[in-house]
Amino acid sequence: MSSASSSSSAPSSPASSSTLIDPTSPSLGTLSLKDVTDEDRAAAAELKKLANTAFSANAFLEAAKLYGQAIEKNPFDATLFCNRAYTRMKMEENGYAIADATRAIELDPKYVKAYYRRALCQLSIIKPHLALADLKTVVKLDPSNKLGKAQLEATQKLIKRMQFEAAIEMGEEESAISRCQEVIKDGGCEIDRNYTGPMLEAIPSSDPSSRQTKYKITQKFVDEMIAFYKNGKSLPRRIVWEIVLGVHSIIFNESSMVEVPLGEGVTCDIIGDTHGQFYDLLRLLELTGPPSETHCLLFNGDFVDRGSWSVEVVMTLFAYKWLYPHRVLLNRGNHETKDMNKVYGFEGEVKHKHGEMTYKASRRRILSMYPSAKFILPSSSVPLATLLSPTLPPTPLKKDEKQPILSPEGRKRYFVTHGGLFSRDGVTLDEIKKIQRHGKQPGNEGLMCELLWTDPQEALGRGPSKRGVGIGFGPDVTRRWCELNGVSAVYRSHEVRQGGYAIEHDGLCITVFSAPNYCDSVGNKGAYVRIDAKGDTQYNTFDAVPHPPMKPMAYASGMMGLM
């Protein structure tokens, strides 16, 4: 592990952290083929070779820049735009990738690969109807394209499933919780007598006629559960239910923005995306240490999807949350949403490991209950942000250090959310606290969507999202918001940073990403940030660890082309 620390100002970002790319390319309307010389074409071809080499080495940022330089030389080569689109897909810049694929199609309306890649981008941002049109074009242009046919069929099934579930799932999350409580109360979900794994501690009942055994969580159980999961085993249904029900009762009553004072001797670690990378989470917990009354762990969203141990990750976080309700903090990410879970693997993983919840009703109620993604991850109950408020006066400034933005009480405080800031100025902390999140999905606009989806940009002001959802917000936007709300910095996650973290916007916007070697391909470090009662910060990075032979997105549905 490597680390850097600072008392009053943050260290410089790792050199490889930034992933921001200028999305602009030459306007075809101002150029003609006559403007591109043979020398230009030859130079573009050489840059393309270099870009291909960088791509093969997973150096996606460098590859995108090289493809961009090649496009400057020859903006009439559709393959350059199509290749850069694929590179941007790897960096989850689907909005930019769609623009590049569209430009490739404009140059070559029969370019099958460009239609296919644009379709995958539309699927990535949960716009399957737009993907469907492109996939139909793929099959029309190339009837023998097996991958295109398979993806078309998978997308059609995904659309039908989403339509069906949308028609029946009004209030589904809360009804799933209540139905599970009913089954437990009626004695319909007991633990098999032959089970010898980790056990919650039974609470003696004061009612001898009750058929329901109640449980509480202990540190011993959490330790044994983690070891159990590490050995590739699964918990029985009843224990999973008890953990989820225990956590749901806690997070349901939390504000949409949880406020956490850091008293003397208390520290808090901000942890970014973990994305189902369970074995890397275990390494991370070795470095941070477990939560305690003097040590908080704040998990800043995207616990699940992509990685193939999402169940193990979220159950570990939930177990700790139940054990330390005020010292383990959970923020919702853009992947804590039902449609993302359908596409990126968590729903399929839950069904594979624990079965599917079904509910049939007639005059005589019949319940057939199994954990589902909607039950195990009651996503609409997870808070949207956390405000960390150190309670001690800040450390005196060193020479040449800038005065930080402080709270009205003269203390540092940090706003932590998964995505970022807003499409309008003037949003206050009180507005965020009052967001009605229960039972709601983030959609494509509004404060909830922006908290989960937006990204910082280098340019001033606001710009279109490189993802295709949300916006980009510049350093002036960040400063105005921090000054309005008395916030010293915004900590967010949501994006891979090669060095594990990135400090941007003059130190006011920090990205923390905690899934090293993301999807077994990116080669990035993971990071976490420790904050103490004075608001001093320490940045820590770590590398990925080996894991059992299971590919990312092993349980994904409808995203065959990205597996």
Side-chain angles (χ1 to χ4, degrees):
M1 181 186 76
S2 63
S3 67
S5 64
S6 169
S7 60
S8 298
S9 62
S12 299
S13 299
S16 59
S17 287
S18 178
T19 63
L20 299 175
I21 301 172
D22 181 0
T24 59
S25 297
S27 170
L28 296 184
T30 61
L31 295 173
S32 70
L33 283 170
K34 294 180 181 179
D35 296 312
V36 181
T37 66
D38 291 340
E39 290 80 5
D40 289 332
R41 292 187 182 90
E46 288 303 313
L47 286 165
K48 180 181 178 182
K49 289 180 183 178
L50 293 173
N52 291 345
T53 299
F55 183 93
S56 298
N58 295 330
F60 302 125
L61 175 62
E62 181 64 20
K65 289 180 177 178
L66 288 166
Y67 285 129
Q69 292 171 19
I71 288 168
E72 294 288 338
K73 294 291 184 181
N74 184 9
F76 294 94
D77 185 343
T79 63
L80 297 175
F81 287 100
C82 193
N83 286 6
R84 190 170 67 172
Y86 193 36
T87 305
R88 285 171 162 170
M89 289 165 64
K90 290 291 188 179
M91 295 189 290
E92 299 187 0
E93 296 178 346
N94 291 296
Y96 287 175
I98 288 170
D100 276 344
T102 300
R103 185 67 61 87
I105 290 167
E106 291 171 354
L107 290 166
D108 182 358
K110 294 185 178 181
Y111 198 169
V112 172
K113 190 176 290 185
Y115 286 105
Y116 184 74
R117 288 178 177 170
R118 189 168 69 176
L120 293 184
C121 290
Q122 301 289 9
L123 282 171
S124 295
I125 56 176
I126 319 301
K127 295 182 178 179
H129 287 89
L130 295 178
L132 188 65
D134 279 340
L135 291 168
K136 287 180 177 178
T137 302
V138 169
V139 174
K140 181 179 178 180
L141 292 173
D142 183 7
S144 63
N145 191 313
K146 293 182 179 180
L147 186 59
K149 286 182 177 179
Q151 186 65 67
L152 174 60
E153 182 180 343
T155 302
Q156 290 170 328
K157 290 179 179 178
L158 175 65
I159 290 172
K160 289 180 180 178
R161 190 168 83 249
M162 291 172 70
Q163 290 173 335
F164 173 75
E165 292 182 2
I168 66 171
E169 66 182 9
M170 292 296 292
E172 187 177 75
E173 181 179 302
E174 287 309 308
S175 62
I177 294 291
S178 62
R179 294 198 314 261
C180 288
Q181 290 171 329
E182 284 182 38
V183 172
I184 291 173
K185 184 178 180 180
D186 292 340
C189 186
E190 296 304 309
I191 298 172
D192 191 294
R193 293 180 180 179
N194 296 321
Y195 172 69
T196 58
M199 275 297 299
L200 296 164
E201 185 175 317
I203 302 173
S205 175
S206 58
D207 181 3
S209 65
S210 174
R211 299 171 60 188
Q212 179 181 355
T213 302
K214 294 187 176 181
Y215 296 96
K216 68 177 183 179
I217 196 164
T218 63
Q219 185 66 57
K220 178 175 181 291
F221 169 82
V222 176
D223 293 341
E224 291 178 353
M225 182 194 74
I226 290 173
F228 199 64
Y229 275 148
K230 191 174 181 180
N231 290 327
K233 299 178 180 180
S234 294
L235 293 175
R237 181 175 60 174
R238 175 63 181 273
I239 292 179
V240 170
W241 286 14
E242 290 289 344
I243 294 171
V244 175
L245 291 169
V247 168
H248 182 266
S249 65
I250 296 167
I251 62 177
F252 187 84
N253 292 308
E254 291 181 325
S255 168
S256 288
M257 185 189 75
V258 177
E259 299 181 69
V260 181
L262 300 180
E264 186 170 7
V266 176
T267 57
C268 181
D269 290 342
I270 300 173
I271 296 165
D273 303 40
T274 49
H275 272 304
Q277 297 185 195
F278 177 64
Y279 295 88
D280 294 319
L281 173 66
L282 297 186
R283 173 58 179 153
L284 173 62
L285 292 173
E286 289 178 0
L287 299 173
T288 64
S292 69
E293 291 304 320
T294 58
H295 183 49
C296 303
L297 296 179
L298 195 173
F299 293 91
N300 196 28
D302 281 12
F303 322 130
V304 302
D305 285 338
R306 294 200 179 268
S308 295
W309 291 275
S310 292
V311 167
E312 289 79 358
V313 167
V314 78
M315 294 307 297
T316 299
L317 304 193
F318 277 12
Y320 271 131
K321 176 68 175 177
W322 191 15
L323 185 62
Y324 291 102
H326 304 296
R327 287 295 180 243
V328 174
L329 310 163
L330 304 177
N331 283 348
R332 184 176 181 180
N334 65 302
H335 277 265
E336 278 71 64
T337 55
K338 60 184 179 62
D339 288 343
M340 297 293 277
N341 295 158
K342 284 182 177 67
V343 172
Y344 284 95
F346 182 55
E347 182 176 285
E349 181 183 339
V350 174
K351 290 177 180 178
H352 177 83
K353 293 178 179 178
H354 290 290
E356 182 176 5
M357 177 188 291
T358 59
Y359 175 80
K360 297 179 180 179
S362 60
R363 291 184 180 178
R364 178 182 178 188
R365 174 173 288 184
I366 303 172
L367 288 174
S368 178
M369 299 292 299
Y370 300 92
S372 73
K374 301 175 190 66
F375 174 70
I376 285 188
L377 186 57
S379 57
S380 71
S381 295
V382 180
L384 305 175
T386 300
L387 185 68
L388 297 177
S389 298
T391 58
L392 299 183
T395 300
L397 296 176
K398 296 178 181 178
K399 185 178 180 181
D400 299 327
E401 284 187 334
K402 294 182 180 179
Q403 175 66 39
I405 299 170
L406 300 177
S407 71
E409 297 76 29
R411 303 291 189 265
K412 289 184 178 180
R413 60 180 181 180
Y414 301 101
F415 180 75
V416 187
T417 194
H418 182 72
L421 299 181
F422 310 100
S423 58
R424 62 176 173 87
D425 286 344
V427 176
T428 65
L429 296 174
D430 281 342
E431 281 185 79
I432 297 167
K433 287 173 62 176
K434 294 175 182 176
I435 293 173
Q436 298 298 313
R437 73 186 190 277
H438 292 302
K440 299 182 183 299
Q441 297 299 313
N444 291 311
E445 60 182 15
L447 296 185
M448 186 190 301
C449 170
E450 290 164 0
L451 284 166
L452 303 188
W453 276 98
T454 59
D455 296 295
Q457 63 182 29
E458 292 178 338
L460 296 176
R462 296 175 173 89
S465 169
K466 60 190 176 185
R467 297 175 185 271
V469 182
I471 62 160
F473 60 95
D476 56 329
V477 174
T478 303
R479 178 165 290 279
R480 288 196 300 271
W481 188 85
C482 288
E483 289 175 344
L484 172 68
N485 289 285
V487 166
S488 305
V490 175
Y491 280 88
R492 43 92 61 181
S493 302
H494 195 38
E495 292 183 275
V496 176
R497 291 297 191 248
Q498 285 301 120
Y501 66 94
I503 300 167
E504 300 163 276
H505 293 187
D506 197 26
L508 295 179
C509 182
I510 299 96
T511 298
V512 184
F513 195 82
S514 304
N517 194 26
Y518 182 46
C519 292
D520 288 351
S521 64
V522 178
N524 61 291
K525 288 182 177 292
Y528 66 96
V529 182
R530 179 162 293 179
I531 297 175
D532 67 17
K534 292 184 177 181
D536 294 343
T537 57
Q538 182 184 53
Y539 290 74
N540 306 274
T541 64
F542 64 102
D543 295 314
V545 297
H547 62 70
M550 176 77 75
K551 292 182 179 180
M553 294 180 69
Y555 307 100
S557 171
M559 289 292 284
M560 302 166 59
L562 288 183
M563 285 190 246

